[in-house]
Amino acid sequence: MHNNRTTITQFIIEEQRHIEGATGDFTSLLNDVVTACKVISNLVNHGALIGVLGAAGTENVQGEDQKKMDVISNDVFLKTNEWSGHLAAMASEEMDEIYHIPSQYPRGKYLLTFDPLDGSSNIDVNVSVGTIFSILRCKGDCKHPTAQDFLQAGTEQVCAGYALYGPSTMMVLTTGKGVNGFTLDQNIGEFILTHPNMSIPEETSEFAINASNSRHWEAPVKRYVDECLAGKEGARGRDFNMRWVASMVAEVHRILTRGGVFMYPVDEKMKAKGGEGKLRLMYEANPMSFIVEQAGGASTTGRERIMELQPKELHQRVPVVLGSKKEVELITSYHND
Ligand code: AHM
Ligand code: MG
C-alpha cells in the first residue's frame, strides 16, 4: 500500500517535466519552502514543551503584537530559503522592509512572499494556524531587487500555497494547474498527496465572518448576512450555517473541502481611519485568491477581482470575499448594485 504513495517532491518533479525549458530551480525552491513548513509544523506541535508560546513583546509594521512563534517562523522561512540561489529577495508580513539575500549567497530569479504564521492569535489556545506563501518572478534587476519588484498583480503568481497546522499538518498548492493537497506523514517526514484536484462546490449554505464587527459593516455585507440569517423564511429560502475560526488558512481549507464563503470586508470603522481592509494583499489575499480560483471558486474585494489589483505598496490591506463562486458573485453584485 505504501509503494504507490506520491510524495510532494515526486509530485513537483513530475509537474516540472511537463514544463518546457524548466531548469529545476523552481522545484528546488519549492522544496525549501516545504522544508520550512515542516520545521514550523514541528515547533507548533511541541508548543509549550519547548517554550514557543506566548507574546514576543514586539510589534510588526502594522502595529500588531507579535507572538513568539510569529518571530520564530519568520526566521525559519528566511534561513531555510536564503541560501539556495533561487531567490532575488523575500518579503514577509512580519518584516517592515524586503529581505535582501545575504551577500555570501547567489541571487536567483524568484521572489518569495509569506505570512509565516497566519492566525497566530490562535496559537496559545491550541487552535489551527498556518503559513501562506506566494512565488513571483523577479522581472527587474534580480541582483538589486527593490520593494517595487514585488508589486505585481496576483495574476502574475507562479505558485501559491499554504500549510495548515491542524489535527494533521497539510500543504495545499497551486502552480496554476489546479489545486492539490498533501498530508504530512510524521513518521517519514514527507508530505503525501492525499487530496488531488481539490475543487470548491459552486453553491453553499455556510458563511464565515467576524460578526463582532457587524455594527460597522457596509450595507451590502449587512444585506447578505441578514439574508443568510433569515434562513428558510427569508429571501434565500434555505437555512445557513456560520463558522469563524479567526485563522484564514483554516477557513480557506474548510471552503476547499466542503464549500462556503469567507469575508473580511472593509467596514465603516476602518474607512473612518483611512483603512481598506484587514488582510494583506501580498501575503494573504493574493495567494489565497489564486488557490481558490484554481479550485473553481471566486475571490473579490466585494467590488473587484483581487488577483487583478495593481498593488500600491508591500503591506497593502484589502477587503476579501472568497469561496464558492455563486455566493461570491452574489455578494459582489450587492456591492455593485
Ligand atoms: P494574522 O496574520 O496577524 O494572524 O491575522 C490574519 C488573521 C486571519 O487569519 C483571520 O482571518 C483574521 O486575521 C482574524 O481576524 P479577527 O481577529 O478580527 O477575527
Ligand atoms: Mg495572516
Side-chain angles (χ1 to χ4, degrees):
M1 163 208 169
H2 285 263
N3 292 337
N4 56 11
R5 304 204 306 176
T6 305
T7 66
I8 198 165
T9 314
Q10 181 184 349
F11 182 88
I12 300 167
I13 291 175
E14 287 187 354
E15 254 201 349
Q16 181 206 314
R17 288 201 187 119
H18 301 293
I19 303 168
E20 214 180 308
T23 58
D25 283 8
F26 171 73
T27 303
S28 162
L29 164 59
L30 202 49
N31 261 317
D32 291 340
V33 170
V34 169
T35 302
C37 293
K38 285 198 266 193
V39 173
I40 298 171
S41 171
N42 186 49
L43 292 166
V44 167
N45 269 198
H46 285 85
L49 294 174
I50 53 170
V52 295
L53 301 187
T58 47
E59 280 185 356
N60 68 10
V61 62
Q62 280 107 352
E64 297 162 335
D65 291 333
Q66 288 176 307
K67 297 285 182 184
K68 273 187 207 163
M69 267 310 293
D70 281 321
V71 178
I72 297 169
S73 353
N74 192 65
D75 212 47
V76 167
F77 243 75
L78 297 179
K79 292 288 170 280
T80 313
N81 288 292
E82 67 180 7
W83 60 272
S84 67
H86 305 311
L87 287 175
M90 293 183 247
S92 156
E93 182 177 308
E94 304 300 339
M95 291 183 299
D96 300 9
E97 311 286 341
I98 69 166
Y99 182 82
H100 291 284
I101 301 300
S103 56
Q104 69 264 37
Y105 303 122
R107 291 183 179 187
K109 59 180 185 238
Y110 291 105
L111 300 170
L112 178 63
T113 76
F114 52 90
D115 176 357
L117 200 72
D118 178 64
S120 56
S121 71
N122 282 322
I123 185 88
D124 296 342
V125 289
N126 203 8
V127 170
S128 297
V129 288
T131 298
I132 310 170
F133 67 91
S134 161
I135 299 173
L136 293 160
R137 270 192 196 87
C138 181
K139 296 174 179 167
D141 177 359
C142 300
K143 295 278 172 281
H144 305 97
T146 65
Q148 196 64 33
D149 292 309
F150 284 84
L151 304 185
Q152 303 179 33
T155 49
E156 301 297 303
Q157 292 172 99
V158 175
C159 171
Y162 64 76
L164 169 62
Y165 315 116
S168 52
T169 290
M170 284 195 68
M171 172 75 77
V172 172
L173 282 182
T174 185
T175 55
K177 293 189 291 288
V179 178
N180 291 283
F182 305 81
T183 305
L184 182 62
D185 183 334
Q186 309 270 4
N187 292 326
I188 59 167
E190 281 275 15
F191 281 101
I192 306 292
L193 179 64
T194 46
H195 296 58
N197 297 317
M198 297 176 86
S199 93
I200 303 176
E202 275 207 355
E203 281 177 83
T204 180
S205 298
E206 195 163 69
F207 67 99
I209 190 164
N210 184 343
S212 71
N213 297 319
S214 61
R215 68 192 183 286
H216 306 297
W217 289 342
E218 292 182 320
V221 174
K222 267 202 182 103
R223 174 179 172 191
Y224 178 77
V225 174
D226 282 347
E227 288 178 358
C228 292
L229 296 178
K232 257 196 199 107
E233 293 76 33
R236 302 299 305 274
R238 64 180 197 269
D239 290 339
F240 279 74
N241 190 22
M242 202 203 79
R243 286 286 182 276
W244 187 249
V245 189
S247 200
M248 190 190 198
V249 173
E251 320 266 12
V252 168
H253 192 71
R254 184 186 61 249
I255 290 171
L256 281 170
T257 310
R258 67 176 188 210
V261 59
F262 165 89
M263 285 170 278
Y264 215 119
V266 65
D267 62 33
E268 301 300 344
K269 190 176 161 195
M270 292 174 192
K271 287 201 288 190
K273 292 187 195 153
E276 292 181 83
K278 159 147 189 185
L279 299 174
R280 275 113 323 192
L281 178 60
M282 305 305 294
Y283 317 111
E284 296 165 326
N286 265 343
M288 289 310 205
S289 300
F290 192 18
I291 293 168
V292 164
E293 286 194 9
Q294 282 293 317
S299 177
T300 73
T301 61
R303 294 174 168 93
E304 305 158 276
R305 183 179 172 215
I306 287 182
M307 297 247 284
E308 283 174 14
L309 296 176
Q310 172 56 48
K312 293 177 290 218
E313 49 174 343
L314 207 51
H315 295 290
Q316 183 175 342
R317 296 175 188 257
V318 285
V320 175
V321 176
L322 60 75
S324 296
K325 203 172 196 162
K326 288 212 170 128
E327 292 302 305
V328 173
E329 282 169 1
L330 182 68
I331 299 164
T332 308
S333 75
Y334 285 0
H335 281 84
N336 293 327
D337 256 358

